[in-house]
Each structure stands twice: as structure tokens, then as C-alpha cells.
């Protein structure tokens, strides 16, 4: 129980089935105070199920879920959280300003309206009916509603899906500010650059199991491969057959070679192509780590 009290949220050996589908196969997951934890995994990995257990929306078949050391179904625990889920149903006819007032009324110490608007950027939407908003505007409104209380823990399930670049950056800035105030954030995303930009810690889930956990740089370090980029006249199929080359992608005259032995590949490129240009070697990103770790797990 010690861990569960120190962590703001905790799953211990959590198992969840839907009929014959094993969605979570014994997951241990702690969320620390004030951290941004990114849950990554392919479609159907179990990310939403994990969040739903932590929020008390679902019960584990076995194992335990704790929120602030309490049963997540208790209102007193849930009141300390803010939530933005993928499928949110809201009263369509209410205007955005009215929804904010309604959500603020759920909390004993709500955030000020001015602060909610500054963080979420919905100032221009207050008089608009929710049902008439675009997908991206609805997403921004859902974020505004998630931060109506001064939550100690925010659950954001794919918060920036469908947002344009400016709206995404506004949300990233808001998330960082909330974390500076001491809020912890659990984020699921399919945008690896989002996890790379925000997360203190990454947990990768595949088929209901945690397959890797650590900082973004820990994840990168688990991947030995490098990318060799260049402009070359050599045939990609020929390079794909070289030892230690994992893949070759060609975009116009540019080549992107993934390899475990960058030095050997660079040497051979220089030997075989006198016209080689714009050579660079870059380390693996989170996207490479993700592909490799989930492939290992499969
Ligand atoms: P995504 O990235 O697609 O949102 P996810 O990682 O959030 O996926 P979950 O939604 O947790 O995955 O689903 C885990 C597994 O449980 C999937 O195989 C899914 O089909 C199944 N599942 C989820 N909800 C239900 C449900 N209500 N009834 C039956 N099966 C479900």
C-alpha cells in the first residue's frame, strides 16, 4: 500500500476482460505526483481500459486500482481529477460558456473562468452551442471542461487528435503550465512527437501488457539502430541487401536507411557512390523505439 499512497494513482496486477478479450493481463502502473506519464501502444493495446480502471469507470476482474490511495469509484477521489476521454457525450444544446459554468459547479474550489479560457483558448467559443462546433473546437472545449477543477491529476485520452498545429501547441503549453503547478498528467497519444515533447516517463503497452517503461531517452537507448540519410544514385533494393541494414526508404532522390551498424553503412556508401551527397546520421527517435519494442513484444 506504501506505493499506492505515494503515487497519485496506481494499478496493481490489474486484469480486465471483455467477454473473451483479455484487455489488461496483469498491469502494474503507478503515476507519480507532478509527472507527465505518456501511455503508448497500438490500437486495442489496453490504454483506455487502464485509464477507465483508474477512474473507477470500470472494475478490475482481479488486482487493484487506487486513486489518491482510495477506491477510484469514490467521489472524494474523483473530485481531485480532471478527465478528457475519447468519447465524451455532452449536452448538445448548451453553449460553451454554460458548460464551463456547469462543470465549475461540480467542484468545491473551481478554477477561475479567466484561467480556464487562458489555458484552453476557448475565449472565442463561449457563446457557441457545443453541437455546432467543429471537431477541433469540441476537443478544445473538452479540455477546458477537464481543467474546471484545480485537479491534482489529469487524464487526457488522445487530447490533440484532430487539432491543428496552433491548437495543439496551445494545449501543450497549457499542460506544461498545469504540471508546473504540481498537477500530474496521464496522457495517451498516437503522436510520438507529442510524447517526446511532453512526457517525463513513457509506458508502452501491447496486448494488455506493459512491454517497456522509462524516460524518452531510456526508450531511445533500447534501440540500437541509427538512420543514415543521404542523396545517392545507388538502388535502394541493393542497399537493403547489405549486412545489418534493416530497411531502406526512398523519397525522390533522398534515401533513409535504418541500420544497426551506421559506420559500416556510411563507409560502403562512400566507396560505392562517388556522387554521394547530404550524408547525415541521426539517432533513433521514440518512433523507432516504439516500432522495435512493440515488434519484440509481438
Ligand atoms: P486505441 O488506441 O484504439 O484507443 P486502447 O489501447 O485504448 O486502443 P482499449 O480501448 O483499452 O485499447 O481496448 C483494449 C481491448 O479491449 C481491445 O481489444 C478492445 O477491442 C477491447 N474492448 C474495449 N472496450 C470494450 C468493450 N466495451 N467491449 C468489448 N471489448 C472491448
Amino acid at each position: 500500500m506504501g506505493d499506492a499512497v505515494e503515487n497519485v494513482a496506481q494499478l496493481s496486477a490489474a486484469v480486465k476482460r471483455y467477454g473473451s478479450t483479455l484487455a489488461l493481463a496483469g498491469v502494474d502502473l503507478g503515476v507519480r505526483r507532478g509527472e507527465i506519464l505518456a501511455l503508448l501502444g497500438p490500437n486495442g493495446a489496453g490504454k483506455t481500459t487502464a485509464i477507465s480502471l483508474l477512474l473507477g469507470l470500470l472494475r478490475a476482474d482481479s488486482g487493484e486500482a487506487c486513486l489518491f490511495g482510495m477506491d477510484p469509484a469514490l467521489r472524494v477521489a474523483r473530485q481531485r481529477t480532471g478527465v478528457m476521454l475519447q468519447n465524451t457525450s455532452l449536452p448538445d444544446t448548451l453553449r460553451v460558456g454554460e458548460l464551463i459554468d456547469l462543470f465549475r459547479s461540480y467542484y468545491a474550489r473551481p478554477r477561475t473562468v479567466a484561467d480556464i479560457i487562458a489555458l484552453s483558448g476557448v475565449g472565442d467559443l463561449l457563446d457557441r452551442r457545443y453541437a455546432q462546433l467543429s471537431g477541433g473546437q469540441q476537443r478544445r472545449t473538452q479540455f477546458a471542461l477537464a481543467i474546471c477543477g484545480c485537479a491534482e491529476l489529469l487524464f487526457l485520452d488522445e487530447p490533440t487528435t484532430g487539432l491543428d498545429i496552433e491548437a495543439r501547441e496551445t494545449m501543450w503549453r497549457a499542460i506544461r503550465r498545469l504540471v508546473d503547478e504540481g498537477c500530474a498528467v496521464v496522457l495517451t497519444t498516437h503522436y510520438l512527437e507529442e510524447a517526446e515533447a511532453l512526457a517525463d516517463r513513457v509506458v508502452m503497452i501491447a496486448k494488455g501488457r506493459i512491454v517497456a517503461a522509462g524516460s524518452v531517452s531510456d526508450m531511445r537507448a533500447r534501440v540500437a539502430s541509427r538512420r543514415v540519410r543521404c542523396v545517392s544514385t545507388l538502388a535502394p533494393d541493393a542497399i537493403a541487401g547489405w549486412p545489418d541494414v534493416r530497411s531502406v526508404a526512398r523519397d525522390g532522390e533522398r534515401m533513409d536507411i535504418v541500420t544497426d551498424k551506421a559506420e559500416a553503412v556510411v563507409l560502403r556508401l562512400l566507396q560505392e557512390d562517388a556522387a554521394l551527397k547530404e550524408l547525415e546520421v541521426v539517432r533513433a527517435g521514440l518512433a523507432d523505439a516504439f516500432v522495435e519494442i512493440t515488434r519484440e513484444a509481438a
Side-chain angles (χ1 to χ4, degrees), residues 18 21 23 41-49 86 158 190:
Y18 301 100
T21 304
N43 288 133
K47 305 177 296 291
T48 303
T49 303
Q86 283 179 57
E158 298 185 26
H190 288 287

Short mmCIF file of all heavy atoms in Angstrom, two decimals, residues 18 21 23 41-49 86 158 190, ligand 1:
data_model
loop_
_atom_site.label_atom_id
_atom_site.label_comp_id
_atom_site.label_asym_id
_atom_site.label_seq_id
_atom_site.Cartn_x
_atom_site.Cartn_y
_atom_site.Cartn_z
N TYR A 18 -13.10 -8.30 -21.45
CA TYR A 18 -14.43 -8.03 -22.00
C TYR A 18 -14.82 -9.32 -22.70
O TYR A 18 -14.28 -9.61 -23.77
CB TYR A 18 -14.40 -6.91 -23.03
CG TYR A 18 -13.88 -5.58 -22.54
CD1 TYR A 18 -12.57 -5.18 -22.81
CD2 TYR A 18 -14.69 -4.70 -21.83
CE1 TYR A 18 -12.09 -3.95 -22.40
CE2 TYR A 18 -14.22 -3.46 -21.41
CZ TYR A 18 -12.92 -3.09 -21.70
OH TYR A 18 -12.45 -1.88 -21.30
N THR A 21 -12.15 -11.27 -24.67
CA THR A 21 -10.99 -10.40 -24.94
C THR A 21 -10.28 -10.05 -23.63
O THR A 21 -10.90 -9.50 -22.72
CB THR A 21 -11.44 -9.08 -25.62
OG1 THR A 21 -12.15 -9.41 -26.79
CG2 THR A 21 -10.24 -8.21 -25.97
N ALA A 23 -8.23 -7.58 -22.13
CA ALA A 23 -7.80 -6.21 -22.42
C ALA A 23 -6.59 -5.81 -21.57
O ALA A 23 -5.69 -5.11 -22.05
CB ALA A 23 -8.94 -5.24 -22.19
N GLY A 41 0.87 2.81 -27.15
CA GLY A 41 0.60 1.43 -27.55
C GLY A 41 -0.26 1.43 -28.79
O GLY A 41 -0.98 2.40 -29.03
N PRO A 42 -0.21 0.35 -29.55
CA PRO A 42 -1.03 0.28 -30.76
C PRO A 42 -2.52 0.28 -30.43
O PRO A 42 -2.90 0.13 -29.26
CB PRO A 42 -0.60 -1.04 -31.42
CG PRO A 42 0.28 -1.74 -30.46
CD PRO A 42 0.60 -0.84 -29.32
N ASN A 43 -3.37 0.41 -31.43
CA ASN A 43 -4.82 0.35 -31.22
C ASN A 43 -5.17 -0.95 -30.51
O ASN A 43 -4.64 -2.01 -30.85
CB ASN A 43 -5.57 0.36 -32.57
CG ASN A 43 -5.53 1.72 -33.25
OD1 ASN A 43 -5.25 1.82 -34.43
ND2 ASN A 43 -5.80 2.76 -32.50
N GLY A 44 -6.05 -0.83 -29.50
CA GLY A 44 -6.52 -2.02 -28.81
C GLY A 44 -5.54 -2.56 -27.77
O GLY A 44 -5.75 -3.64 -27.22
N ALA A 45 -4.47 -1.80 -27.46
CA ALA A 45 -3.45 -2.28 -26.52
C ALA A 45 -3.96 -2.37 -25.09
O ALA A 45 -3.47 -3.17 -24.29
CB ALA A 45 -2.22 -1.37 -26.58
N GLY A 46 -4.93 -1.50 -24.74
CA GLY A 46 -5.47 -1.51 -23.38
C GLY A 46 -5.31 -0.18 -22.65
O GLY A 46 -5.59 -0.09 -21.45
N LYS A 47 -4.93 0.87 -23.38
CA LYS A 47 -4.66 2.16 -22.74
C LYS A 47 -5.94 2.76 -22.13
O LYS A 47 -5.94 3.17 -20.97
CB LYS A 47 -4.07 3.15 -23.78
CG LYS A 47 -2.83 2.62 -24.47
CD LYS A 47 -2.30 3.57 -25.52
CE LYS A 47 -3.22 3.83 -26.69
NZ LYS A 47 -3.40 2.68 -27.59
N THR A 48 -7.01 2.79 -22.92
CA THR A 48 -8.26 3.39 -22.42
C THR A 48 -8.81 2.56 -21.27
O THR A 48 -9.34 3.10 -20.29
CB THR A 48 -9.30 3.50 -23.56
OG1 THR A 48 -8.71 4.27 -24.61
CG2 THR A 48 -10.58 4.16 -23.10
N THR A 49 -8.65 1.25 -21.37
CA THR A 49 -9.11 0.38 -20.28
C THR A 49 -8.35 0.70 -18.99
O THR A 49 -8.95 0.79 -17.91
CB THR A 49 -8.92 -1.10 -20.67
OG1 THR A 49 -9.62 -1.34 -21.89
CG2 THR A 49 -9.44 -2.03 -19.59
N GLN A 86 -11.98 9.93 -24.94
CA GLN A 86 -12.17 9.97 -26.40
C GLN A 86 -13.64 10.15 -26.77
O GLN A 86 -13.96 10.92 -27.65
CB GLN A 86 -11.67 8.67 -27.02
CG GLN A 86 -10.17 8.62 -27.12
CD GLN A 86 -9.72 7.29 -27.72
OE1 GLN A 86 -10.12 6.93 -28.80
NE2 GLN A 86 -8.90 6.58 -27.00
N GLU A 158 -5.87 10.81 -25.76
CA GLU A 158 -5.67 11.34 -27.12
C GLU A 158 -6.21 12.77 -27.25
O GLU A 158 -7.06 13.06 -28.08
CB GLU A 158 -6.32 10.42 -28.15
CG GLU A 158 -5.68 9.04 -28.14
CD GLU A 158 -6.20 8.12 -29.23
OE1 GLU A 158 -6.65 8.62 -30.28
OE2 GLU A 158 -6.13 6.90 -29.03
N HIS A 190 -1.25 8.84 -29.99
CA HIS A 190 -0.62 8.11 -31.08
C HIS A 190 0.43 8.99 -31.75
O HIS A 190 1.10 8.56 -32.68
CB HIS A 190 -1.66 7.65 -32.11
CG HIS A 190 -2.51 6.53 -31.59
ND1 HIS A 190 -2.03 5.25 -31.44
CD2 HIS A 190 -3.78 6.49 -31.15
CE1 HIS A 190 -2.99 4.48 -30.94
NE2 HIS A 190 -4.05 5.21 -30.75
P1 LIG B 1 -6.94 2.72 -29.04
O1 LIG B 1 -5.55 3.21 -29.23
O2 LIG B 1 -7.51 2.12 -30.29
O3 LIG B 1 -7.87 3.72 -28.40
P2 LIG B 1 -6.60 1.28 -26.49
O4 LIG B 1 -5.18 0.95 -26.25
O5 LIG B 1 -7.19 2.42 -25.76
O6 LIG B 1 -6.87 1.41 -28.06
P3 LIG B 1 -8.73 -0.29 -25.29
O7 LIG B 1 -9.84 0.61 -25.76
O8 LIG B 1 -8.38 -0.28 -23.85
O9 LIG B 1 -7.42 -0.08 -26.17
O10 LIG B 1 -9.14 -1.78 -25.72
C1 LIG B 1 -8.41 -2.93 -25.32
C2 LIG B 1 -9.10 -4.17 -25.90
O11 LIG B 1 -10.38 -4.35 -25.28
C3 LIG B 1 -9.37 -4.11 -27.40
O12 LIG B 1 -9.19 -5.41 -27.93
C4 LIG B 1 -10.82 -3.69 -27.48
O13 LIG B 1 -11.42 -4.17 -28.67
C5 LIG B 1 -11.42 -4.34 -26.26
N1 LIG B 1 -12.56 -3.56 -25.71
C6 LIG B 1 -12.51 -2.29 -25.23
N2 LIG B 1 -13.71 -1.91 -24.76
C7 LIG B 1 -14.54 -2.96 -24.96
C8 LIG B 1 -15.93 -3.18 -24.69
N3 LIG B 1 -16.68 -2.26 -24.10
N4 LIG B 1 -16.45 -4.37 -25.04
C9 LIG B 1 -15.69 -5.33 -25.63
N5 LIG B 1 -14.38 -5.18 -25.90
C10 LIG B 1 -13.80 -4.02 -25.57
#
